[in-house]
Amino acid sequence: MSSVVVVGGGPVGLMLACELALNHVRPIVLERLTEIDRRPKAGAVTGRGAELLDRRGLTPPDAGAWPFTPRPVHPDSLLAKGKPGAGHFAGMFVLTGGPGTVMIPQQQLEADLAACAVELGVDLRRGHTLVDLDTVQGPDGRYELDADWIVGCDGGRSSVRKLAGFGFPGTDGISTGYQAVVELDDPEFHPHGWFRKEHGLLVHGPMPGRVMTLEFDGPPLHRDSEITREELQRSLRRLSGTQVQVTEVRAVTRFTDNARQADSYRRGRVLLAGDAAHVHSPWGGPGLRLGLCDAVNLGWKLAAVARGLAGADLLDTYTVERHPVAARALELQRASVALLSPGPHVSALRDVVSGLLDHEDANRWLTAAMGDLDLGPFCPDLSLDGGPRVGELQRTGRGLLLDLADDPGLRAVAEGWSDRVEVVTGRCEQVSDRALLVRPDGQIAWRSGDAEPLREQLTRWFGISHS
Ligand SMILES: Cc1cc2nc3c(=O)[nH]c(=O)nc-3n(C[C@H](O)[C@H](O)[C@H](O)COP(=O)(O)OP(=O)(O)OC[C@H]3O[C@@H](n4cnc5c(N)ncnc54)[C@H](O)[C@@H]3O)c2cc1C
């Protein structure tokens, strides 16, 4: 068995570690921080990311609900101009028909994933920083790690990406934004909701003290400088046109909209996933969706390779499948930032776009694109014999052969992959296929009517048979 080191114990690194462990490979996870980062980041996982969380049983029971009573929507806010319960594109709340968004603070997701990883036997090393591709600075000094495979899940400024020499082309940011939880001298300084303003965007709420600002005078001058109360206050004052005072900053992050993507997701023994592979603005919540789906696409493939069951060329399908998805998301994020910028010309363009989105086809297309819901044949959350759902059956993180016509021949073929593919026999009225082979990421790899035999597809995706 070859060794796997995951650099970065954020949501993507931890998700990948769980996926590897579910597939019999226990990686080392190096995480620079000794504790989970408390700065406010994601509050939700969207689209296919939300579906994949469900397929691993990671959706919290209260995922759709706010832990407080939200204020009524203010008539001038962008929410009031949208459709109730709809997802948004550039603050136009009109996207209907997607799967539910999972509302979960990033810190809670990271804590849940860390608990899951440790329970599965992952060696999670907090306070350990990768300083060179095989050198780690730990609490007791430097040590060498001779890993066969290294996966950089170390965020937007990834050291792994730089050390391994990946290209990271893209566009620079044109905006600076803040997300913060604050105490204000006047908590009612501005109505709750999303508002386009003369200089950008102001979001107040939904929880008390939460503010988000976006202004378009370029990216932050000093990205690493400490965020001061004064600079946040200046942004709030400019956008709100008030003299509001920030009396306390409980938590704050600064962000921009640079949009860049690694030229490949693999160079030899080094792979990238999550923000290490792609960065973009946070509007519409693509970050966790892309990153978690990267992890779920890569985990089982890397496990099969690390166990010597599949050739390294299986890993090339990771770049082939995931690179175009993030490339499209980056384009949508660029479009989204353009539509969030101020001015009458943009207002006119927003009216055109929202008019187009009144058409069902356009709305369906953008909903799918903003959630990555149109990627290949994704197995719906079918129910077998009115009993277990595919979503529940996929909690093992392995492949799934749905034997829907009680076919002993088929089961005999799959026997040789029993450590990687679960076989479940049952009936399902919703599909006419006699059998379906579902990959751990939910993609249908084979249907009973396909010309290629099952054995070939099992070998292609899961490696050699053990019998
Ligand atoms: C204001 C804001 C709001 C957002 N809102 C949303 C949202 O609603 N929905 C959404 O999906 N996304 C959102 N995002 C994006 C989301 O937060 C990121 O996409 C997500 O954090 C990416 O996860 P990651 O694991 O790839 O990287 P990170 O979360 O950055 O984790 C990387 C980890 O690697 C560690 N690390 C770095 N270097 C090293 C090293 N050399 N050695 C060891 N460890 C290292 C870091 O300490 C960190 O823990 C938001 C982001 C911001 C800034």
Side-chain angles (χ1 to χ4, degrees), residues 131-199:
V131 288
D132 207 341
L133 272 188
D134 288 309
T135 313
V136 181
Q137 178 71 48
D140 302 321
R142 287 199 174 199
Y143 62 96
E144 297 295 309
L145 259 187
D146 192 12
D148 296 301
W149 296 99
I150 301 173
V151 192
C153 300
D154 49 344
R157 300 187 205 179
S158 168
S159 308
V160 174
R161 187 182 69 227
K162 291 170 194 157
L163 290 166
F166 286 87
F168 200 46
T171 47
D172 291 333
I174 56 170
S175 64
T176 297
Y178 299 91
Q179 178 174 230
V181 182
V182 287
E183 295 281 339
L184 302 168
D185 65 335
D186 176 10
E188 304 299 325
F189 81 108
H190 198 276
H192 272 219
W194 291 48
F195 300 87
R196 280 186 79 233
K197 296 287 189 179
E198 194 186 337
H199 301 292

Side-chain angles (χ1 to χ4, degrees), residues 402 404-405 428 431-436 444 447-449:
L402 295 175
L404 303 172
C428 179
V431 287
S432 55
D433 303 279
R434 293 169 58 81
L436 292 174
I444 297 174
R447 293 170 185 274
S448 48

Side-chain angles (χ1 to χ4, degrees), residues 6-14 30-33 37 40-46 106 110 126 128-131 153-160 178-179 210 212 253-255 273-278 280-291:
V6 175
V7 184
V12 176
L14 291 168
L30 303 172
E31 170 50 54
R32 178 172 60 188
L33 303 176
D37 189 350
K41 284 193 187 173
V45 182
T46 55
Q106 185 159 331
E110 289 183 29
R126 291 198 184 276
H128 291 243
T129 305
L130 187 94
V131 288
C153 300
D154 49 344
R157 300 187 205 179
S158 168
S159 308
V160 174
Y178 299 91
Q179 178 174 230
R210 193 253 194 173
M212 235 173 150
T253 38
R254 179 169 48 205
F255 58 90
D275 278 14
H278 35 72
H280 42 70
S281 70
W283 303 103
L288 286 178
R289 182 183 76 244
L290 289 172

